Amino acid sequence: MRSNISKNVITRALLSALLIGSVPALAVQPKLKLSDITIPTASEENQLATKRATTRLTQSHYRKISLDDAFSEKIFDRYIKNIDFSHNTFLQSDVDELRQKYGAKLDDQLNEGELSAAFDIYDVMMKRRYERYAYSLSLLDKEPNLNGQDQIEIDREKAAFPKNEEEANKLWEERVKNDIINLKLKDKKWSEIKTKLTKRYNLAIRRLTQTKADDILQTYLNAFAREIDPHTSYLAPRTAKSFNESMNLSLEGIGATLQSEDDETSIKSLVPGAPAEKSKKLHPGDKIIGVGQATGEIEDIVGWRLEDIVEKIKGKKGTKVRLEIEPSKGGKSRIITLVRDKVRIEDQAAKLTMDKADGKNIAVIKVPSFYIGLTDDVKKLLVKAEKQKADALIIDLRENGGGALTEAVALSGLFITNGPVVQVRDAYQRIRVHEDDDAEQQYKGPLFIMINRYSASASEIFAAAMQDYNRGIVIGQNTYGKGTVQQSRPLNFVYDLDQTPLGLLQYTIQKFYRINGGSTQLKGVAADINFPEIIDAKEYGEDKEDNALPWDKIPSATYKEVGNARKDVDVLNKKHLERIAKDPEFVALNEDLKIRNERRDRKFLSLNYQTRKAENDKDDARRLKDINDRFKREGKKALNDIDDLPKDYEAPDFFLKEAEKMAADFVMLNSSAQDIGKEAQKPTEKVEEKK
């Protein structure tokens, strides 16, 4: 297969230049040769992980599949899609040839732990990717004409693969022109653009050489896993380690968040109290150019993948790491030594804020994810809110993609006395009800739950339970619609005494259902009071997945409503709509959303610089006006240019401010928060019972 890869397009371009005579040799060429792009070899661990993952997915997944030739073809298509999403790297002949060779054989190879197909296909992609970037570099020899009527196709997910190199080159010529326009719109001169893109494309080629066998395995097994359903996945050992750290909000290292741009790695933020912050030697913006352990040489990490750099810096508590730093304020590079320690990732933990709205104390608890220990954290925050005499509470679940099912149940238990929270059904149609079984109700006052399109899974369990119990009012945007439960299992067995880590498999084992019997799968949780859809529901959501599990329902659980929180929804919604109709922030937002929706269905983007600049200038002018109007209301000095806006500027969260006003409305509509709390404790009429 590898012998069938066509010769480097750069070779032909050079030959053409020599034949013409008057055309000089290309000035911009790749720093690396095609021969430098070599694929790693699959390890015995990769093969063992493949066999074990295949067995687990075919025997234990909620959705039963037949791993046959037909399913093999589906895995092939998804794998091709995963490594060439925009259909601009492979040629159609590549795909046809690879399909003929491997399309119906992946099932057999997966069962045997054979990875030749996965690695050969990836090898073809890498070499084609090299050719495409090499051609892109050749286009930087002179500034292109951006005054024509060229267009670039915005979404090529379902587009045909290029038939030949000429078509592929045309696609990448459009891509290069688009990159150039984007930089010109930032007022970059051609010389700066040429330098920037030369560096960018060469770095992209360099990263091809940094591909590891685990990277290929993870991509390949995810093509298999996600062909079964969208939330089943394989995590290679290093990815699995990061996942476990994020779920526990704890890791061992120096406590610095890193970011990468081109080939430079810099410090984005420091975790308070962690080694990096306590040393007083590191600051946001500082660049890391080398990493070493307690002894030995310091390795030059410029151009490394960010995850490789992070892996070098992390380590066991008590060990030392040395960093070569280029200060953000200039000056010579220096080497600093830090002692690693246990770091709690506080940025991802629940946080409490207190605000005033119409004279009422509104507590807001932001819950970024359902990590292990969340309920204990929230319980402490609720005690703190009570001491600060909160009149109402908002649980903010926006952008919360879920987490541990156990935490969703336990968190719900803080707001009810006891009873079912969620039902789950497994592949054998067995139904289990997860209950809050203690009689303690931590918080009894007015409750609001904020959601949006990115609220999913455990967030939907909590929001649905509060809605079904009539315990709180759900406000925001319809949720994502992920009604499935995954479990994580390492591929290592207990008797693998000396076996190196094989990675982690997350796979769907159950669907969850509201206590009223309905599923949140595909449909999500609908808000009682809606906010403008800042996240486009036509672009994001479970119902956009091509192989999502279907919606269905089961009998309701036996439960009783514990309050009548939603009795004032109509009145609150009326006040809400009246407010946002006059609120300048929402008025400006609605104008932005109107423009977004008009552009959403665009299939092509102009590659005429003047056309793009006119649209960009119009957008900038509108944004500048909106920001200056905001600054005027806030008593701040107006900006002369949108580029004068500080890069770290954060717009006010006017969605949250409106939610706080809504909570204040609720408090004022009722006699007192104390009376509401008493009402919340009284069981009301039974809504539904399990037959």
Side-chain angles (χ1 to χ4, degrees):
M1 175 53 60
R2 295 170 193 167
S3 63
N4 291 329
I5 299 298
S6 63
K7 298 293 184 182
N8 186 352
V9 68
I10 296 301
T11 304
R12 280 199 298 274
L14 285 167
L15 180 60
S16 175
L18 291 171
L19 290 173
I20 293 172
S22 60
V23 181
L26 291 176
V28 184
Q29 299 182 50
K31 290 183 177 180
L32 298 174
K33 300 176 181 178
L34 180 59
S35 57
D36 295 321
I37 311 300
T38 58
I39 196 161
T41 303
S43 66
E44 291 183 5
E45 287 79 13
N46 294 152
Q47 294 170 342
L48 181 57
T50 299
K51 290 181 71 172
R52 290 185 179 179
T54 300
T55 300
R56 186 71 57 86
L57 291 175
T58 53
Q59 294 182 1
S60 304
H61 197 282
Y62 182 89
R63 173 181 268 169
K64 299 304 178 185
I65 63 160
S66 295
L67 186 55
D68 52 18
D69 289 357
F71 200 83
S72 176
E73 292 278 0
K74 292 180 179 180
I75 297 172
F76 175 87
D77 288 336
R78 195 169 291 273
Y79 187 41
I80 292 291
K81 177 180 177 180
N82 285 354
I83 58 180
D84 187 11
F85 184 82
S86 296
H87 289 195
N88 63 7
T89 300
F90 286 117
L91 301 181
Q92 184 63 57
S93 57
D94 296 329
V95 178
D96 293 342
E97 188 176 344
L98 291 168
R99 183 186 301 280
Q100 183 178 6
K101 186 173 182 180
Y102 295 120
K105 296 179 180 178
L106 300 186
D107 53 330
D108 298 323
Q109 289 203 0
L110 284 164
N111 281 316
E112 296 166 4
E114 170 61 43
L115 290 167
S116 59
F119 279 64
D120 283 352
I121 294 169
Y122 206 94
D123 190 31
V124 175
M125 182 278 294
M126 288 172 63
K127 287 178 168 56
R128 286 297 188 201
R129 185 76 69 182
Y130 176 90
E131 291 179 356
R132 301 283 76 78
Y133 277 117
Y135 178 71
S136 298
L137 283 165
S138 76
L139 297 175
L140 300 178
D141 193 39
K142 63 178 181 179
E143 186 171 3
N145 179 3
L146 300 175
N147 299 317
Q149 300 304 311
D150 293 4
Q151 294 180 312
I152 184 171
E153 192 170 3
I154 296 172
D155 182 3
R156 286 187 48 82
E157 178 186 357
K158 297 179 181 178
F161 289 95
K163 295 185 181 67
N164 48 45
E165 283 197 359
E166 184 179 359
E167 284 192 11
N169 288 344
K170 180 69 167 62
L171 292 175
W172 281 69
E173 182 180 350
E174 292 167 357
R175 178 172 169 166
V176 171
K177 283 185 176 181
N178 191 55
D179 287 345
I180 292 170
I181 288 174
N182 286 332
L183 290 171
K184 278 180 69 72
L185 291 174
K186 295 177 182 178
D187 296 326
K188 300 292 184 184
K189 305 297 183 185
W190 169 244
S191 60
E192 297 175 288
I193 293 172
K194 180 176 180 178
T195 300
K196 180 85 170 176
L197 293 183
T198 299
K199 189 176 183 180
R200 182 186 296 177
Y201 299 157
N202 269 308
L203 182 60
I205 291 174
R206 181 176 178 179
R207 283 182 175 150
L208 291 175
T209 68
Q210 299 172 354
T211 302
K212 293 178 170 58
D214 279 0
D215 300 330
I216 300 172
L217 179 68
Q218 183 169 278
T219 304
Y220 178 57
L221 287 184
N222 276 330
F224 173 24
R226 289 174 185 164
E227 187 56 43
I228 305 175
D229 92 308
H231 306 291
T232 294
S233 59
Y234 166 74
L235 284 66
R238 184 166 57 183
T239 311
K241 182 181 178 183
S242 297
F243 170 76
N244 288 328
E245 288 170 346
S246 67
M247 284 300 292
N248 290 286
L249 296 193
S250 180
L251 55 84
E252 291 181 344
I254 65 170
T257 302
L258 308 184
Q259 61 185 2
S260 180
E261 183 176 357
D262 288 339
D263 60 351
E264 295 180 339
T265 298
S266 61
I267 295 171
K268 183 178 181 182
S269 63
L270 302 175
V271 177
E277 190 269 339
K278 287 168 68 176
S279 74
K280 307 301 179 186
K281 297 176 182 177
L282 287 174
H283 306 88
D286 288 350
K287 295 176 184 176
I288 302 176
I289 60 175
V291 180
Q293 304 311 311
T295 59
E297 294 185 3
I298 290 182
E299 295 182 80
D300 182 350
I301 54 87
V302 175
W304 281 25
R305 300 191 315 177
L306 185 61
E307 55 266 38
D308 291 334
I309 298 170
V310 171
E311 192 68 21
K312 278 283 183 185
I313 294 174
K314 289 195 302 186
K316 289 185 178 181
K317 177 180 177 180
T319 60
K320 293 180 180 179
V321 62
R322 292 177 296 153
L323 305 178
E324 186 174 358
I325 300 296
E326 283 187 357
S328 59
K329 297 179 181 179
K332 291 183 178 180
S333 66
R334 64 178 188 270
I335 297 173
I336 66 170
T337 301
L338 299 172
V339 179
R340 299 178 177 107
D341 200 352
K342 201 83 173 177
V343 179
R344 182 168 165 80
I345 314 171
E346 296 293 348
D347 286 348
Q348 298 174 28
K351 287 184 174 62
L352 169 70
T353 56
M354 295 289 296
D355 286 310
K356 283 277 187 182
D358 296 327
K360 303 301 178 184
N361 294 324
I362 310 300
V364 180
I365 296 180
K366 174 66 177 176
V367 180
S369 70
F370 282 78
Y371 56 88
I372 304 301
L374 167 67
T375 305
D376 289 339
D377 286 353
V378 171
K379 188 181 292 187
K380 294 172 185 175
L381 297 178
L382 289 173
V383 171
K384 190 174 179 180
E386 185 178 5
K387 288 180 180 178
Q388 296 183 37
K389 302 187 184 304
D391 294 309
L393 170 68
I394 297 171
I395 298 292
D396 187 353
L397 299 178
R398 291 174 296 169
E399 283 82 44
N400 184 324
L405 173 66
T406 52
E407 291 293 343
V409 175
L411 185 69
S412 300
L414 299 181
F415 302 96
I416 60 174
T417 51
N418 54 50
V421 173
V422 64
Q423 304 183 87
V424 296
R425 183 169 67 180
D426 65 18
Y428 303 99
Q429 306 305 305
R430 296 174 300 196
I431 297 173
R432 178 187 173 191
V433 180
H434 291 265
E435 300 196 14
D436 168 44
D437 53 10
D438 64 54
E440 184 181 0
Q441 185 177 359
Q442 185 71 33
Y443 175 76
K444 303 173 182 178
L447 176 65
F448 286 75
I449 302 96
M450 287 191 79
I451 56 172
N452 65 10
R453 193 64 170 173
Y454 291 149
S455 305
S457 193
S459 291
E460 294 173 294
I461 290 174
F462 177 79
M466 296 302 99
Q467 205 172 51
D468 290 344
Y469 273 113
N470 207 351
R471 176 63 186 88
I473 298 174
V474 178
I475 57 178
Q477 181 181 358
N478 202 99
T479 59
Y480 191 86
K482 178 184 176 293
T484 56
V485 181
Q486 286 72 42
Q487 73 174 5
S488 301
R489 289 289 182 269
L491 292 178
N492 291 76
F493 296 155
V494 291
Y495 52 76
D496 290 337
L497 300 179
D498 299 319
Q499 180 64 59
T500 56
L502 299 175
L504 188 74
L505 198 64
Q506 287 182 301
Y507 56 98
T508 302
I509 56 168
Q510 299 166 327
K511 288 177 73 175
F512 69 76
Y513 299 82
R514 302 172 68 134
I515 53 177
N516 70 11
S519 172
T520 61
Q521 177 65 9
L522 298 181
K523 292 187 177 182
V525 176
D528 297 311
I529 299 175
N530 290 297
F531 276 41
E533 292 193 350
I534 193 168
I535 300 168
D536 194 347
K538 291 189 176 181
E539 296 288 335
Y540 303 101
E542 184 80 358
D543 56 351
K544 303 300 176 292
E545 299 288 350
D546 59 9
N547 60 342
L549 296 179
W551 179 90
D552 59 357
K553 65 183 301 184
I554 62 175
S556 68
T558 301
Y559 72 100
K560 296 178 181 179
E561 289 188 359
V562 298
N564 57 357
R566 295 157 74 199
K567 65 182 176 62
D568 295 318
V569 161
D570 289 343
V571 177
L572 294 173
N573 190 44
K574 182 180 178 183
K575 288 177 173 287
H576 161 66
L577 292 175
E578 289 173 350
R579 259 195 310 267
I580 67 172
K582 301 174 184 176
D583 187 320
E585 295 287 5
F586 281 95
V587 171
L589 172 65
N590 285 331
E591 181 63 26
D592 287 343
L593 294 182
K594 180 181 176 182
I595 294 170
R596 178 199 72 185
N597 293 341
E598 289 172 352
R599 295 177 181 175
R600 178 175 51 209
D601 298 327
R602 279 182 178 175
K603 296 186 183 304
F604 294 92
L605 189 63
S606 174
L607 291 175
N608 181 292
Y609 172 67
Q610 293 302 327
T611 299
R612 290 276 289 279
K613 187 176 187 303
E615 183 173 280
N616 189 71
D617 289 348
K618 187 175 180 181
D619 289 345
D620 282 351
R622 187 180 71 255
R623 188 173 177 224
L624 180 63
K625 178 183 180 303
D626 291 343
I627 288 176
N628 279 335
D629 287 347
R630 177 187 296 154
F631 281 7
K632 184 177 180 180
R633 294 190 297 271
E634 295 173 346
K636 296 179 181 178
K637 185 180 178 181
L639 301 176
N640 293 321
D641 191 283
I642 192 64
D643 291 335
D644 296 334
L645 186 70
K647 290 183 178 180
D648 59 351
Y649 173 75
E650 291 187 17
D653 188 350
F654 49 91
F655 276 67
L656 181 58
K657 291 298 180 186
E658 171 58 22
E660 291 170 352
K661 291 175 183 176
M662 204 179 298
D665 286 344
F666 183 91
V667 173
M668 289 186 285
L669 279 170
N670 293 270
S671 57
S672 70
Q674 184 179 3
D675 290 340
I676 298 165
K678 290 178 181 178
E679 186 67 29
Q681 298 176 66
K682 295 179 183 178
T684 58
E685 185 179 338
K686 187 180 293 183
V687 179
E688 292 183 66
E689 286 196 1
K690 196 172 181 179
K691 297 291 188 289

